[in-house]
Amino acid sequence: MAKRKDIRRILVIGSGPIIIGQACEFDYSGSQACKALKEEGYFTILVNSNPATIMTDPGMADKTYIEPLTVDSVAKIIAKEKPDALLPTLGGQTGLNLAFFLMKEGVLKKYGVESIGASVEAISCAEDRKLFKTAMQDIGIDVPKSGIAHTVEGGMVIGKEIGFPLILRPAYCLGGSGGTVVYNREEFESALAKGLETSPVHQVLVEQSVLGWKEIEFEAIRDSADNVIIITSMENVDPMGVHTGDSMVVAPSQTLTYAEYTSFVNLCRKIMHRVGISGGGANIQFAQNPENGHIVIIEMNPRLSRSSALASKATGFPIARVATKLAVGFTLPEVMNQITGKTTSFFEPTVDYCVFKICRFTFEKFSRAERIIGTSMKAVGEAMSIGRNFKEALQKGIRSIEIGRFGLGADGKDKISDEVLRKPDDSLIKMIKEKIRIPNDERIFYIRYAIKAGVSINEIYELSKIDRWFLENIKELIEIEEEIKKFKCPSAKGKIEISRDLLRRAKENGFSDRQLAYLLNTREEKIREFRNKMKVNPVYKLVDTCAGEFKAERPYFYSTYETKEEARAGKRKKVIILGGGPNRIGQGIEFDYCCCHASYALREEGIESIMINCNPETVSTDYDTSDRLYFEPLTLEDVLNVIEIEKPMGVIVQFGGQTPLNLAIPLRKSGAPILGTTAESIDIAENRELFKQMLDKLGLLQPANGT
């Protein structure tokens, strides 16, 4: 098959403003869609209401409407522009819901507009809880016991039949909005009323609880010729009961046997066929009973999601671009030939590394909010890290989310000291266990405290239901930590005596220089000097779409401590751009927009653009934004490592928000050339005391203040 010629004008729906549960992953996917459609000569019409995204930039689409994403508003655009087709699968839940309601109101039929990527029937089958349950039962896939509630009274009857605890899942909602776990009648009644109000179709699935089961996700793509490929599996470190958008996630799955993996893949193929995805991607979520391996399906997103963005960046497979091409009639072999230029076969990405996703929460902004996470999303952003093993990826991930931590403890920032943990009293043990039992954003650190306090892996498993494999890996990190402490310097000026083998093993398991400095009672810069002297330095491995079968045209890189170097540092003029890291309140997509434009401007001038960032949701970490991309934490250590291998003419710190600005002075002191505003000028603007002194010197008025 080739691209469709019966459609010429395509309307792309964006996702609107950034909100919890729906963030800049849709800026990434929508931008890729517009590029892919223009490549094929289609006239693109974009509607979105977010002015901060690269997606609404002039030139991204042939026509851009910055308008509210409502049925009335989009119906007027359809009436004026007369598109042949609508692509709703790249605008998150907002885009999907809008397509459904445009169909329901008769707008699509009135103007002869076809929904591509996922038909309206496929959207209904996947999003309508009742239709989805029936579809899964038709193909023999188990679902948790459940019933559909349209009223509080009807829901109460269903809940009584199933028994507590129950999980409530409103239909057509993003980020688990309105969803919750209830344990008694009083909670159930109020939560059910809220869920019915939240759902735009006033429908709530009342479901048997599978709390504590493993949560496994698959990202799959199907074309119109019924070819299905699995992009990657993803395993939630946190078990069922924590929304996947809030959970720590690894890709590929780490604890499945080959037989289990094969079983999941076969189920995915059946689901894609039954729901009717015939030119695009979908995210499929399963729960697996850890005691007997029994699998049930939880839900399916017939669109690109936050997990899709993670899968895309984790594998190097451009899911949004591929899904868009499939939506206009191409088959997977044809699209893969475009990507590789080498083959008409289609490849499933092979991942020979471990990817770790961890969320950024900002509970500190809301003093009354409980630090509890559950079935409704609370994360405001996320970071992705890549390592050769889980332990390395875990520690890199923690230092990527910029909460002041430099790994899993041992960095001088622990809330409970080792001295206290060596002889914990009963009240402390009780508090630690409670922090592990109830999911929260600090649970991973309390698991470490529990192990150091002597709580067994089995007991931690029973409290958290986090797979023992992950817990054993955390225990191994603590064992390495204890080995390092044996070489502690008597004073900060003392000689570093740690062996080269142990130093290398620590770095292979993700220990940062800051952690090593703390454990050895020395300074971070001394650790760096010692590493260089001992020749314990990172190499960079590439992530590519073709699993090394062909030379990747747009690879990107991650650091690890092995021997073979795969970075492709050239001799042309080059500049490094520091990205903004994970989204958070106060630092969001607007900085990614600036970083992307910096990259485009450099390339226009014939200068190689090199991006460093760790946010998997953004356009700045897309495969075609820069000449080279390093998926690394934005810490002094990690940035200096890239500078050493690339040797750029300079580093730009002005476009990524507060994160790179905070690195300006340390980078300059380390000898890195800062382009644009000098590090000293940045410091005057950022340092409150220096800024006050400057205003006094200039004789300018300012409110009375002190630092």
Side-chain angles (χ1 to χ4, degrees):
M1 289 187 186
K3 72 177 185 183
R4 291 179 57 175
K5 294 181 179 176
D6 57 328
I7 55 177
R8 294 180 301 104
R9 298 167 68 85
I10 299 174
L11 175 64
V12 179
I13 300 180
S15 61
I18 302 300
I19 48 180
I20 290 175
Q22 190 166 276
C24 52
E25 63 270 20
F26 301 109
D27 184 40
Y28 139 74
S29 59
S31 298
Q32 278 298 319
C34 290
K35 289 179 189 176
L37 292 173
K38 289 182 84 171
E39 267 179 29
E40 299 302 332
Y42 292 103
F43 187 90
T44 53
I45 305 147
L46 170 69
V47 56
N48 199 358
S49 56
N50 191 335
T53 72
I54 205 105
M55 188 184 187
T56 53
D57 236 20
M60 186 62 75
D62 292 296
K63 271 199 173 180
T64 301
Y65 286 85
I66 298 181
E67 292 290 330
L69 294 172
T70 63
V71 170
D72 288 346
S73 176
V74 177
K76 289 174 184 173
I77 295 168
I78 289 173
K80 182 182 177 186
E81 293 292 342
K82 297 182 173 52
D84 303 300
L86 166 73
L87 185 60
T89 52
L90 300 142
Q93 196 66 45
T94 298
L96 212 60
N97 287 358
L98 193 48
F100 175 77
F101 288 111
L102 285 165
M103 178 276 296
K104 204 170 181 184
E105 297 289 324
V107 175
L108 299 186
K109 186 176 180 181
K110 178 180 177 181
Y111 294 100
V113 181
E114 178 187 352
S115 177
I116 58 174
S119 66
V120 175
E121 292 74 24
I123 294 170
S124 299
C125 183
E127 292 290 319
D128 186 290
R129 300 295 186 180
K130 186 175 182 179
L131 292 176
F132 185 66
K133 179 180 177 181
T134 303
M136 295 304 98
Q137 290 171 333
D138 286 348
I139 54 177
I141 297 178
D142 285 345
V143 294
K145 283 186 199 174
S146 64
I148 305 297
H150 294 279
T151 64
V152 172
E153 295 75 21
M156 297 299 285
V157 172
I158 296 165
K160 187 177 179 182
E161 290 173 0
I162 297 172
F164 293 106
L166 294 165
I167 294 179
L168 307 187
R169 300 183 189 277
Y172 290 91
C173 288
L174 65 91
S177 296
T180 189
V181 183
V182 293
Y183 296 89
N184 54 56
R185 182 184 173 87
E186 291 72 26
E187 287 180 347
F188 183 32
E189 190 168 358
S190 62
L192 187 57
K194 181 183 175 185
L196 289 167
E197 185 181 336
T198 303
S199 169
V201 294
H202 307 295
Q203 183 194 91
V204 172
L205 182 73
V206 181
E207 187 176 79
Q208 166 199 2
S209 169
V210 288
L211 292 177
W213 289 28
K214 282 187 185 183
E215 185 168 0
I216 308 290
E217 298 178 68
F218 281 81
E219 199 66 33
I221 286 181
R222 179 174 180 253
D223 67 14
S224 54
D226 200 25
N227 295 309
V228 177
I229 61 172
I230 305 300
I231 306 305
T232 189
S233 61
M234 291 169 278
E235 179 173 359
N236 288 26
V237 176
D238 296 290
M240 290 296 297
V242 175
H243 191 282
T244 186
D246 282 356
S247 179
M248 293 175 288
V249 176
V250 288
S253 57
Q254 300 290 300
T255 71
L256 296 182
T257 65
Y258 178 75
E260 287 174 326
Y261 178 84
T262 303
S263 177
F264 278 113
V265 167
N266 291 336
L267 292 178
C268 287
R269 295 181 190 281
K270 289 170 71 175
I271 293 162
M272 294 290 280
H273 183 82
R274 174 61 184 83
V275 171
I277 303 296
S278 59
N283 172 258
I284 306 171
Q285 297 172 21
F286 298 96
Q288 183 187 40
N289 189 326
E291 305 305 322
N292 57 24
H294 180 61
I295 297 169
V296 296
I297 186 163
I298 300 301
E299 65 180 6
M300 174 192 197
N301 288 311
R303 58 173 172 83
L304 273 77
S305 64
R306 183 166 295 193
S307 294
S308 307
L310 177 67
S312 186
K313 304 300 171 70
T315 61
F317 190 97
I319 295 175
R321 183 169 184 260
V322 170
T324 302
K325 300 256 182 172
L326 299 183
V328 294
F330 287 100
T331 61
L332 277 164
E334 290 168 332
V335 177
M336 290 308 295
N337 185 41
Q338 287 185 3
I339 292 172
T340 66
K342 307 282 185 181
T343 177
T344 53
S345 300
F346 55 87
F347 279 81
E348 291 188 339
T350 300
V351 178
D352 61 351
Y353 43 82
C354 180
V355 171
F356 181 76
K357 183 268 282 187
I358 184 168
C359 291
R360 173 66 192 253
F361 298 88
T362 49
F363 288 113
E364 69 275 7
K365 299 276 186 179
F366 306 100
S367 57
R368 296 181 185 178
E370 290 185 298
R371 299 189 85 127
I372 293 172
I373 54 178
T375 57
S376 184
M377 267 189 73
K378 293 183 179 179
V380 296
E382 61 186 38
M384 183 185 105
S385 60
I386 311 175
R388 296 299 274 182
N389 57 57
F390 171 72
K391 294 187 284 290
E392 182 180 27
L394 167 68
Q395 297 227 79
K396 285 177 74 176
I398 290 171
R399 68 179 188 260
S400 293
I401 54 172
E402 298 174 37
I403 56 171
R405 304 306 303 263
F406 291 86
L408 184 62
D411 57 357
K413 303 291 184 73
D414 286 313
K415 287 187 174 180
I416 308 173
S417 70
D418 284 3
E419 289 72 23
V420 171
L421 290 169
R422 272 193 281 272
K423 293 181 180 178
D425 58 31
D426 290 345
S427 63
L428 179 63
I429 291 290
K430 183 180 178 182
M431 183 273 287
I432 290 172
K433 287 181 179 179
E434 194 68 3
K435 284 281 193 178
I436 294 171
R437 187 181 68 82
I438 300 173
N440 63 86
D441 64 311
E442 299 177 301
R443 178 155 72 169
I444 190 78
F445 299 107
Y446 281 90
I447 288 171
R448 176 178 174 273
Y449 299 148
I451 295 171
K452 290 180 85 74
V455 182
S456 72
I457 294 295
N458 278 340
E459 189 172 358
I460 295 171
Y461 168 73
E462 292 301 333
L463 287 165
S464 67
K465 293 300 180 182
I466 292 174
D467 194 280
R468 291 179 181 87
W469 187 89
F470 297 116
L471 300 177
E472 289 289 353
N473 271 267
I474 293 170
K475 186 178 180 183
E476 288 169 19
L477 283 174
I478 293 168
E479 289 167 354
I480 296 170
E481 186 185 312
E482 294 301 318
E483 279 189 67
I484 296 167
K485 281 161 68 173
K486 292 174 185 175
F487 298 91
K488 187 173 182 178
C489 301
S491 74
K493 294 182 179 179
K495 186 180 178 184
I496 299 171
E497 300 285 355
I498 188 173
S499 71
R500 185 178 187 277
D501 286 346
L502 181 54
L503 176 63
R504 176 165 283 280
R505 187 150 60 91
K507 298 305 287 186
E508 286 171 350
N509 285 281
F511 280 87
S512 64
D513 286 355
R514 183 74 68 92
Q515 286 172 292
L516 291 170
Y518 175 77
L519 291 168
L520 295 171
N521 189 32
T522 188
R523 299 191 309 278
E524 183 180 356
E525 57 268 30
K526 283 193 71 176
I527 293 291
R528 186 173 193 86
E529 289 170 9
F530 183 72
R531 273 200 303 103
N532 288 334
K533 181 182 173 184
M534 302 296 283
K535 292 185 168 49
V536 178
N537 294 308
V539 297
Y540 290 88
K541 298 289 184 183
L542 64 82
V543 175
D544 72 69
T545 313
C546 313
E549 292 286 338
F550 309 104
K551 183 179 178 181
E553 295 303 318
R554 293 283 187 183
Y556 45 93
F557 305 93
Y558 65 96
S559 66
T560 191
Y561 282 79
E562 290 188 356
T563 54
K564 187 180 178 184
E565 178 64 71
E566 297 177 0
R568 298 177 181 176
K571 293 184 178 178
R572 287 170 53 203
K573 277 186 177 181
K574 64 187 85 162
V575 168
I576 288 176
I577 303 163
L578 300 189
N583 282 12
R584 70 213 76 164
I585 293 173
Q587 185 164 307
I589 193 171
E590 63 278 10
F591 298 111
D592 198 66
Y593 173 93
C594 296
C595 287
C596 291
H597 271 289
S599 185
Y600 302 155
L602 287 171
R603 289 162 80 179
E604 282 175 13
E605 296 301 320
I607 299 169
E608 281 192 344
S609 60
I610 299 161
M611 188 76 67
I612 307 177
N613 205 355
C614 56
N615 190 336
E617 303 174 344
T618 63
V619 177
S620 70
T621 55
D622 219 357
Y623 73 101
D624 62 352
T625 296
S626 302
D627 290 297
R628 277 188 300 289
L629 164 68
Y630 287 84
F631 232 109
E632 292 291 296
L634 288 155
T635 69
L636 180 64
E637 174 188 347
D638 296 287
V639 171
L640 284 175
N641 286 341
V642 177
I643 289 171
E644 281 181 11
I645 197 161
E646 285 286 356
K647 298 178 175 56
M649 60 184 284
V651 180
I652 295 177
V653 299
Q654 292 172 247
F655 298 120
Q658 198 63 46
T659 296
L661 287 183
N662 290 345
L663 289 172
I665 291 292
L667 283 172
R668 188 194 60 73
K669 286 180 178 177
S670 299
I674 304 297
L675 299 181
T677 305
T678 65
E680 289 75 16
S681 294
I682 291 170
D683 197 34
I684 289 170
E686 291 292 316
N687 185 306
R688 302 294 185 187
E689 184 60 35
L690 292 178
F691 189 69
K692 179 178 184 294
Q693 290 171 14
M694 182 195 72
L695 293 181
D696 288 340
K697 189 175 179 181
L698 294 172
L700 296 174
L701 294 174
Q702 58 184 308
N705 64 81
T707 308

Coordinates of all heavy atoms in Angstrom, one line a residue, residues 4 87 92 128 190 207-208 235 257 279 298 327 353 370-371 458 477 511 546 568 607 669 700-701:
R4 N -2.5 7.5 1.1 CA -3.8 7.8 0.5 C -3.8 9.1 -0.3 O -3.2 10.1 0.1 CB -4.8 7.8 1.7 CG -5.0 6.5 2.3 CD -6.0 6.6 3.5 NE -7.3 7.2 3.1 CZ -8.4 7.3 3.9 NH1 -8.3 6.9 5.1 NH2 -9.5 7.8 3.4
L87 N -7.0 14.0 12.5 CA -6.1 13.1 13.2 C -6.1 13.5 14.7 O -5.6 14.5 15.2 CB -4.7 13.4 12.7 CG -3.5 12.5 13.2 CD1 -3.8 11.0 12.9 CD2 -2.2 12.9 12.6
G92 N -3.5 13.8 23.0 CA -3.8 13.3 24.4 C -5.3 13.0 24.5 O -6.1 12.8 23.5
D128 N -14.8 3.6 26.0 CA -16.1 3.3 26.7 C -15.9 2.0 27.6 O -15.6 0.9 27.0 CB -17.2 3.0 25.7 CG -18.6 2.8 26.4 OD1 -18.8 1.8 27.0 OD2 -19.4 3.7 26.3
S190 N -19.2 8.9 48.1 CA -18.7 10.3 47.7 C -17.8 10.2 46.5 O -17.9 11.1 45.6 CB -18.0 11.0 48.9 OG -16.9 10.2 49.3
E207 N -14.6 -1.4 39.8 CA -13.8 -2.5 39.5 C -13.2 -3.2 40.7 O -12.9 -2.6 41.7 CB -12.7 -2.1 38.6 CG -11.8 -3.1 38.0 CD -10.7 -2.5 37.1 OE1 -9.7 -2.0 37.6 OE2 -11.0 -2.6 35.9
Q208 N -13.1 -4.5 40.7 CA -12.4 -5.3 41.7 C -11.0 -4.8 41.9 O -10.3 -4.5 40.9 CB -12.4 -6.8 41.2 CG -11.5 -7.7 42.0 CD -11.1 -9.0 41.3 OE1 -11.6 -9.2 40.1 NE2 -10.4 -9.8 41.9
E235 N 7.7 -1.9 32.6 CA 7.3 -2.5 33.9 C 7.3 -1.4 35.0 O 8.3 -0.8 35.2 CB 8.2 -3.7 34.3 CG 7.8 -4.3 35.7 CD 8.7 -5.5 36.0 OE1 9.5 -5.9 35.1 OE2 8.5 -6.1 37.1
T257 N 9.5 -13.6 32.9 CA 10.2 -14.7 32.2 C 9.9 -14.6 30.7 O 9.0 -13.9 30.2 CB 9.7 -16.0 32.7 OG1 8.3 -16.2 32.3 CG2 9.8 -16.2 34.2
G279 N -4.0 1.9 12.0 CA -3.1 2.8 11.4 C -2.5 3.8 12.4 O -2.7 5.0 12.4
I298 N -6.2 -4.0 32.2 CA -6.7 -2.9 32.9 C -7.3 -1.9 31.9 O -8.5 -1.5 32.1 CB -5.6 -2.2 33.7 CG1 -5.0 -3.2 34.7 CG2 -6.1 -1.0 34.4 CD1 -6.0 -3.8 35.7
A327 N -1.3 6.3 9.6 CA -2.7 6.9 9.6 C -3.1 7.3 8.2 O -4.3 7.4 7.9 CB -2.8 8.1 10.6
Y353 N 20.0 -2.1 27.1 CA 20.3 -1.2 28.2 C 19.0 -1.1 29.1 O 18.0 -1.7 28.7 CB 20.7 0.1 27.7 CG 19.9 0.7 26.6 CD1 18.6 1.3 26.9 CD2 20.2 0.5 25.3 CE1 17.8 1.7 25.8 CE2 19.4 0.9 24.2 CZ 18.2 1.6 24.5 OH 17.4 2.0 23.5
E370 N -1.3 16.0 50.9 CA -0.7 14.8 51.4 C 0.3 14.3 50.4 O 0.0 14.2 49.2 CB -1.7 13.7 51.7 CG -2.6 14.0 52.9 CD -3.6 12.9 53.2 OE1 -4.4 12.6 52.3 OE2 -3.5 12.3 54.3
R371 N 1.5 13.8 50.9 CA 2.5 13.2 50.0 C 2.1 11.8 49.6 O 3.0 10.9 49.7 CB 3.9 13.4 50.6 CG 4.3 14.8 50.9 CD 5.8 14.8 51.3 NE 6.6 14.9 50.1 CZ 7.6 15.8 49.9 NH1 7.8 16.8 50.8 NH2 8.3 15.8 48.9
N458 N 11.8 -9.6 52.4 CA 10.5 -10.2 52.4 C 9.5 -9.3 53.1 O 8.3 -9.1 52.6 CB 10.5 -11.6 53.1 CG 11.0 -12.7 52.1 OD1 10.9 -12.5 50.9 ND2 11.4 -13.8 52.7
L477 N 23.1 -2.0 46.2 CA 23.7 -0.6 46.2 C 24.2 -0.3 47.6 O 25.2 0.4 47.8 CB 22.6 0.4 45.7 CG 22.4 0.5 44.2 CD1 21.2 1.5 44.0 CD2 23.6 1.0 43.5
F511 N 26.9 5.4 41.0 CA 27.3 6.4 42.1 C 27.9 7.6 41.5 O 28.8 7.6 40.6 CB 28.3 5.7 43.0 CG 27.7 4.8 44.1 CD1 27.4 3.5 43.7 CD2 27.3 5.3 45.3 CE1 26.8 2.6 44.7 CE2 26.7 4.4 46.2 CZ 26.4 3.1 45.9
C546 N 17.5 0.8 14.9 CA 17.6 -0.4 14.2 C 18.5 -1.5 14.9 O 18.9 -2.5 14.3 CB 18.3 -0.2 12.9 SG 17.6 1.2 12.0
R568 N 30.0 10.2 18.6 CA 30.4 10.6 17.2 C 30.8 12.1 17.2 O 30.3 12.9 16.4 CB 29.3 10.4 16.2 CG 28.9 8.9 16.1 CD 27.8 8.7 15.1 NE 27.4 7.3 15.0 CZ 26.4 6.9 14.3 NH1 25.7 7.7 13.6 NH2 26.1 5.6 14.2
I607 N 26.7 25.6 12.5 CA 27.3 25.1 13.8 C 26.6 23.9 14.3 O 25.3 23.9 14.3 CB 27.3 26.2 14.8 CG1 28.1 27.5 14.3 CG2 27.8 25.8 16.1 CD1 27.9 28.7 15.1
K669 N 33.9 28.1 36.5 CA 35.0 27.8 37.4 C 35.7 26.5 37.0 O 36.9 26.3 37.2 CB 34.5 27.6 38.8 CG 34.1 28.9 39.5 CD 33.7 28.7 40.9 CE 33.3 30.1 41.6 NZ 32.8 29.9 43.0
L700 N 19.1 53.1 42.4 CA 17.7 52.8 42.0 C 16.9 52.4 43.2 O 17.4 51.8 44.2 CB 17.7 51.7 41.0 CG 18.3 52.0 39.6 CD1 18.3 50.8 38.7 CD2 17.5 53.1 38.9
L701 N 15.6 52.8 43.3 CA 14.8 52.5 44.4 C 14.4 51.0 44.4 O 14.2 50.4 43.3 CB 13.5 53.3 44.3 CG 13.6 54.8 44.5 CD1 12.3 55.5 44.3 CD2 14.2 55.1 45.9

